[in-house]
Each structure stands twice: as structure tokens, then as C-alpha cells.
Amino acid sequence: MSWFYRISFYRRIQVALVLFLIIPLLLITGLSYFANKQANEENVRTHMKGIIGILANDLSKTANDITYTANQYSALQTNSLFTNLRELKDMRAFADFATYKAYAALNENAALHTGKLSLAQINVFYVNRVYYPIVGSLREYEVARLRENAQFEHLSVDEAATGIVRWFRAERGTGYGDVFKAPYYLFLKKTVYDPYRNDTLGTLFVGIPAAYFDNLFRNAGSGIVSLYEGDGNLLAGMAESTSALSAGPRDGWMRERIEVPGTSWTLTYDLELSTAIGDVTQRFWYLLMAVCIVLFVFLFISVVIAKGLNRPIHRLMRVAAQYGEGNSSVRYNIKGQDEISLLGGSINQMLDNINALIRKVEEEQEEKRTIELYALFSQIRPHFLLNTLNSIKCNLAVEGDQVHSETIDSLMALLRAHLRVHEPIALAEECRLLGQYVSIMRMRNRLNVELNIELPERLQSMLVPRLLLQPLVENSIIHGFSRSTRSPRIDVTVEESAGLVRIRIADNGRGIGAEQAAELNRILSGEGQQTGERGVGLYNVMRRTKLTFGATAEFVVGPGEPEGFVACLIIPWHHEEGGGRSDDQSDVDR
């Protein structure tokens, strides 16, 4: 076997496939043919048993229905039908109204008993003992035509007294002529016996047409289905059915037989053996030819494909080696759309991603160093500023300049808020920061702005992002009061209803028009595109609100009534014991 390891890898695959796949496949195919042939024959026999069992049950049910109908024509049944039969036993015509009344009552009762049989197109008729048709659609001359066949005569009194019923087959050519249209009928004959007068009253005939058996036996598919009487005579079947029941099937055929429950009938199902296993033999030869063709095609194509695989694989190996040596610009030259080309494209994409990740890591490391330096510096600078401002505030307070001292105190509060802007704050504390901000802006702009805040007590503990409302108040002062305004005023109103908190900030400044408000609302809702620095403060308020309280939070702006500008925040909120919080506030708390 040393030669096996001296050949190329794809040659080993070819040899292995021939030795361990093709040859075993041929052996298995031959063995499976004989096994499948036997198994298929058993499956066909099982299938035949199932079909013939179903047919036998249908025949038994039909025979039982017919027998039940025939048994109604008996003195043992507690109904008026037997009385009517006795009254009409010698009728040849309607002698009086009483005779007609008995005739009508008899046909009405008969229709009730034979209604189910009519669904299967079964022919039912009754003749009295003088062979006058009482029930059914036959006429007197047609009954006379039937009597040419002795099987349509009454049973003798002795036979009728036993309650026996007879089954017989009658054919159109020899049994009933043109009275019926079906090629043949399977008739049940029952002569009604009067035990009180030891006499016969008439005979009931129930005929099953050939069409019933044709439709029933057609369900068996291929094969021959035949129905025989207990003496072996044919009762019903197909064109190929034999007139007498043979001891076994014909040569080259299979047979299944069953006794029909509740009758003396025997049902047989004959199927030609070639029908059962012919497909298996044919498939075997087709499969053998297909295996040989596939073997030839496989050997030819494998040689061509294997040669096409080796070259691009070696090129991929060279690309990987050069990249490992530090040549980050090397790439695989893609030709075509085969699997190797797709693999080469994936490798090129992977190398690009690696280069991008390397650049990103380098940039992140540089940014991290910058941030760390800035963080170290920012830890020193705010404390220095706060301490300096605090010293100035104390000096001013000592010197009696209470106004400027309070202004510096407000500035320090705002500075502390900016340093902790990432932390949430109670709504009451946020409103206090608004007052301190307005105090600073009064001094800075020399503008006597009046700030009114209406905050219910139960909403004072509600947590909101720090400095959420300050940009809105700043917007009113800078843009609303940029021109001279008499008695400038800003109203902050907080209300709660239906699980929503509405924070409304309104001013009496110059305001905005309806079109400008609609454009701002489109930008705030994400439908419009922000250009330049216009509306940056409002947009940031909207983003912080939605990030904190979820997508259900809203922020809308509009003109005031009768003048000014109105901004409204609508926030979902549920009050809880020990302080309220928003539904989405858990992230802010952390």
C-alpha cells in the first residue's frame, strides 16, 4: 500500500471512492435487488389482503342491508306491512278503494325500508303470489318476461316456511332480456310465508346491478376481483373472472381470498406476479446502468476538477504566507465565480477587516491616552475653579455685596450640575437650577425676566436627566427676548394625567410662525433633516428625553397664545412609594 501514499491527494480520493463506494455499491445493489424482490412480493400480498378485506366488508354491509330489508317482509315483524301483503296477495287490479289504500300503505312502508338501498342503485320489486307487481317499477308483462327464467318463480311453500333466501346471478342475455339495462344482476329472492294459513303471499326480489360491483372492484386497481357463491359458481366479477372458483391461482399469478362475513360468498383477488415485481427488476437494471455511467463521468470530471483546484489553492497559500511576513497589502487575484474564487474573496475581505481592526485599535489606543490625560487634568481644574469662586463669594458676602454673592453661588451650582450632567436629578432640584440660571441671565443681559414654576408636590421627586430643561429656558431668553420685550416672562408648568407627565415651558417673547413650528416638529420627530446649528439645543433635549424615557416620550413645540413660544415634554411616569420614577428610568439610575 506504499504506492497509495505516493500519489496526489485527489488521486487518493478517486481510488478510495472506487474501492469503498462504487464496488460496494454494485454489490449492495445486487443483494438489495433480491431482498427487495422478496420484500416487495410480501408487501404486495399485504396490500392485497388489505384491499380484499375492505371490499369484503363493503359487500358484507350491503348484503346485511339487503337481508335486513328482506326480513321486514315477514310475519314476525310487528308492522302493518305483513297485513298489507296478505290483503294484496291475489290482487290483479284495484277492486275497490280499500285495495288501493292497502297498496299505497304497502308502497309507503316499502319506501322506508328500501330508501338506503336506492343510494346504491339496487333494484327492489315485489310480486304477489299471482305474479302481479305490487312494489317497484315493473309492469305485469315485464314480470311475465322474467318468469321465462325459472329462478324468478316463487319458492315452494315448504322452502318459504323455513325463511330461506336465495342468491342467484341473472344475465341480460339469458336471464331477463331487455327488462333491465345492466349486463347482469345479483338477485336475492325471498318468498313471504303466511304461517297462520300455511300459504305464500308473494316474493321479494332485490337485485344488485353490475355497475355496483364494477365501481367497487375498480378500487382494487390492477388485478382480477371475483365473487363466488359457496358452491363455487360466479356471482359477480370482472371480464377476466372465471365462471367457477379454482383451487389455486394461475401460473405466474398470486391470489388472496376471504370469506365475506355474514354470507356464504368467497371473494378472491388475483394479481399477476410480473405486476408486483416487474418494476423492481426494471429499476435494478436502470440503477446498474446509472452506476456505470456515473462512475465513468466521475472519473473524467474528477481529473479535470482536481487539476483546477490545485493551482488556486497554492496561490491562496502564497497570499497567506506573504501576509504573515508583514506584507499587509498582498491580496488574492480573483478570477471567475467558483468556490475557490469565493474563498479568495472571503480571505481578501478578512485581510481588509484585519487591517481595519488594527487601525481602529491604534486609533482607540491613541484616543484612550488623550482621554486619560484630559481626565487627569479635568479632575484638577474644576476643583480649582469651584474653590476660587467660593472664595470670591465669601469675600463679597463679607463686604455686603449680597447680590453678586448670590449670583456667584448660582454659577457654582450650574458648574456642579455640568460636572455631574450624566447623573439623574429630582424634578424639584432641576427647577431650582432653572431659577439659578435665570438669576445669572438677569445680571448678564440686564433683563428682568420673571420665572414662574408650578410643580405639584407629588411630582417633585420625579427623576429626570440633569439640565434637561435648562436649554429650553435658555432658548426662550436668547431667541425670544433678543429684542426688547415688556415684562418678559417664562412659565414652567408640570401636570400629570393618565400616567403621563407634561412639562410645559412657555414665554411671551417674539415666538415663531406655524410653518416654522411644523418644520421644527418634523426635525424633532426624525422625519426632517437637521441642517447647520439650527435647533441643536431642542434636538439634544429630544434625544436625551427618548434615550431616558423610551420611544413613547414626546417633545413638541409651537407658537404661544396669543404670543410667544411653547415647548412641551410628554413623559410616561408611574408614581411609586418613596419617590417616583419613569418606566425607563432604571438605566438613568445606574
Side-chain angles (χ1 to χ4, degrees):
M1 290 293 293
S2 58
W3 61 271
F4 184 76
Y5 297 100
R6 290 196 298 269
I7 60 179
S8 61
F9 185 73
Y10 71 90
R11 293 291 186 190
R12 297 180 196 176
I13 296 177
Q14 291 176 336
V15 174
L17 286 174
V18 171
L19 293 178
F20 301 108
L21 181 62
I22 303 299
I23 294 177
L25 180 61
L26 293 175
L27 294 176
I28 292 173
T29 301
L31 294 175
S32 64
Y33 164 70
F34 295 102
N36 289 337
K37 179 180 177 182
Q38 183 177 1
N40 195 66
E41 184 175 345
E42 293 297 326
N43 290 337
V44 170
R45 287 191 178 277
T46 303
H47 181 66
M48 291 173 65
K49 289 179 181 178
I51 291 177
I52 199 173
I54 295 174
L55 297 180
N57 289 335
D58 288 346
L59 287 171
S60 176
K61 185 177 181 301
T62 302
N64 289 337
D65 291 341
I66 293 174
T67 303
Y68 171 79
T69 301
N71 289 336
Q72 300 304 310
Y73 291 76
S74 171
L76 300 178
Q77 300 297 324
T78 57
N79 52 42
S80 60
L81 189 146
F82 183 79
T83 303
N84 295 330
L85 293 177
R86 179 184 288 174
E87 293 177 4
L88 302 174
K89 66 179 180 179
D90 294 319
M91 187 193 81
R92 293 183 180 275
F94 297 115
D96 49 29
F97 181 74
T99 303
Y100 173 77
K101 185 177 181 181
Y103 173 83
L106 176 61
N107 275 273
E108 183 178 354
N109 288 331
L112 295 176
H113 298 306
T114 61
K116 188 176 182 180
L117 300 180
S118 62
L119 298 177
Q121 299 180 345
I122 294 177
N123 198 338
V124 181
F125 61 94
Y126 173 83
V127 296
N128 60 12
R129 68 179 181 179
V130 294
Y131 292 99
Y132 185 82
I134 304 298
V135 176
S137 60
L138 294 183
R139 300 178 181 177
E140 190 172 5
Y141 71 88
E142 291 176 328
V143 175
R145 177 69 180 85
L146 292 177
R147 291 184 64 192
E148 295 177 5
N149 185 340
Q151 297 183 101
F152 287 96
E153 296 287 341
H154 297 307
L155 295 176
S156 65
V157 175
D158 294 337
E159 290 177 321
T162 63
I164 190 173
V165 296
R166 293 283 177 82
W167 290 92
F168 64 92
R169 174 187 173 109
E171 300 180 358
R172 184 174 185 181
T174 59
Y176 47 80
D178 57 354
V179 177
F180 303 116
K181 295 182 179 180
Y184 69 88
Y185 270 87
L186 177 60
F187 279 101
L188 173 142
K189 178 172 68 173
K190 175 181 174 61
T191 299
V192 181
Y193 173 71
D194 187 352
Y196 306 104
R197 300 177 183 177
N198 191 28
D199 196 3
T200 59
L201 303 179
T203 301
L204 175 70
F205 293 92
V206 182
I208 308 175
Y212 169 81
F213 295 104
D214 293 342
N215 293 332
L216 181 63
F217 295 162
R218 191 181 297 118
N219 297 327
S222 59
I224 303 172
V225 182
S226 306
L227 180 66
Y228 295 95
E229 184 56 280
D231 56 5
N233 291 324
L234 179 67
L235 293 178
M238 298 180 173
E240 299 85 355
S241 298
T242 58
S243 58
L245 178 61
S246 59
R250 289 170 285 185
D251 293 338
W253 288 68
M254 297 185 298
R255 169 177 289 181
E256 291 294 332
R257 58 184 292 172
I258 188 174
E259 303 298 328
V260 179
T263 68
S264 59
W265 302 341
T266 299
L267 186 65
T268 64
Y269 183 18
D270 294 304
L271 183 64
E272 193 172 5
L273 191 59
S274 60
T275 304
I277 64 173
D279 292 342
V280 176
T281 303
Q282 189 178 23
R283 287 197 299 268
F284 168 73
W285 290 111
Y286 285 157
L287 180 60
L288 187 61
M289 293 174 59
V291 170
C292 295
I293 294 174
V294 169
L295 175 61
F296 174 77
V297 173
F298 162 73
L299 293 176
F300 175 77
I301 295 179
S302 62
V303 173
V304 176
I305 294 179
K307 290 182 178 180
L309 286 174
N310 279 340
R311 288 189 294 270
I313 288 175
H314 285 297
R315 289 200 298 269
L316 284 174
M317 294 172 61
R318 286 196 296 270
V319 169
Q322 292 179 27
Y323 190 84
E325 293 172 356
N327 185 5
S328 60
S329 63
V330 65
R331 294 294 183 271
Y332 178 77
N333 186 17
I334 299 176
K335 296 179 180 180
Q337 294 293 328
D338 56 18
E339 288 78 1
I340 299 297
S341 298
L342 295 176
L343 178 60
S346 299
I347 291 177
N348 289 344
Q349 183 65 38
M350 180 187 69
L351 297 180
D352 292 339
N353 292 339
I354 291 175
N355 290 339
L357 288 174
I358 292 174
R359 288 193 298 270
K360 184 177 180 181
V361 170
E362 292 175 349
E363 292 173 358
E364 289 178 351
Q365 292 296 328
E366 181 64 25
E367 183 178 357
K368 183 178 180 181
R369 285 192 294 269
T370 302
I371 292 174
E372 289 177 351
L373 291 175
Y374 179 79
L376 291 174
F377 177 73
S378 63
Q379 290 176 0
I380 300 173
R381 186 175 59 183
H383 293 289
F384 170 76
L385 292 176
L386 289 172
N387 293 334
T388 302
L389 290 174
N390 188 54
S391 298
I392 296 173
K393 181 190 75 169
C394 294
N395 291 334
L396 291 173
V398 170
E399 294 176 0
D401 192 349
Q402 192 66 29
V403 175
H404 290 91
S405 176
E406 292 177 356
T407 302
I408 291 177
D409 186 60
S410 299
L411 180 61
M412 292 173 60
L414 288 175
L415 181 58
R416 292 190 188 95
H418 277 282
L419 292 176
R420 302 173 59 190
V421 70
H422 61 282
E423 298 178 3
I425 189 174
L427 187 55
E429 186 67 17
E430 176 72 4
C431 291
R432 189 180 69 82
L433 289 175
L434 291 180
Q436 293 172 332
Y437 172 75
V438 170
S439 175
I440 295 173
M441 296 303 291
R442 288 194 189 107
M443 182 196 73
R444 175 185 171 187
N445 296 334
R446 299 184 182 278
L447 188 65
N448 189 19
V449 179
E450 179 184 353
L451 177 65
N452 299 317
I453 299 177
E454 295 182 10
L455 176 62
E457 183 178 355
R458 68 188 308 271
L459 298 178
Q460 292 181 1
S461 60
M462 176 182 176
L463 296 178
V464 296
R466 194 177 297 267
L467 296 179
L468 177 67
L469 305 181
Q470 182 268 335
L472 303 179
V473 174
E474 180 181 0
N475 182 75
S476 295
I477 294 175
I478 294 177
H479 299 288
F481 306 140
S482 59
R483 299 177 182 178
S484 177
T485 302
R486 291 184 177 181
S487 302
R489 186 182 74 256
I490 299 176
D491 297 322
V492 179
T493 306
V494 183
E495 299 175 340
E496 178 197 7
S497 64
L500 297 175
V501 173
R502 290 176 173 81
I503 304 176
R504 184 176 182 271
I505 299 177
D507 62 59
N508 61 346
R510 62 175 180 172
I512 59 174
E515 294 182 359
Q516 188 178 3
E519 181 182 357
L520 282 174
N521 285 323
R522 282 196 300 271
I523 295 174
L524 295 176
S525 63
E527 298 178 0
Q529 185 175 3
Q530 182 180 356
T531 57
E533 297 182 357
R534 183 180 182 184
V536 173
L538 299 178
Y539 184 79
N540 288 339
V541 170
M542 181 272 295
R543 289 294 301 159
R544 293 184 68 194
T545 303
K546 287 188 176 293
L547 288 174
T548 303
F549 299 101
T552 56
E554 299 181 21
F555 179 39
V556 293
V557 299
E561 292 293 341
E563 59 182 356
F565 177 82
V566 177
C568 185
L569 287 168
I570 303 174
I571 300 170
W573 183 74
H574 294 287
H575 182 70
E576 298 179 0
E577 293 296 333
R581 62 169 58 195
S582 167
D583 292 341
D584 302 316
Q585 194 62 36
S586 58
D587 292 336
V588 177
D589 294 343
R590 291 193 291 270

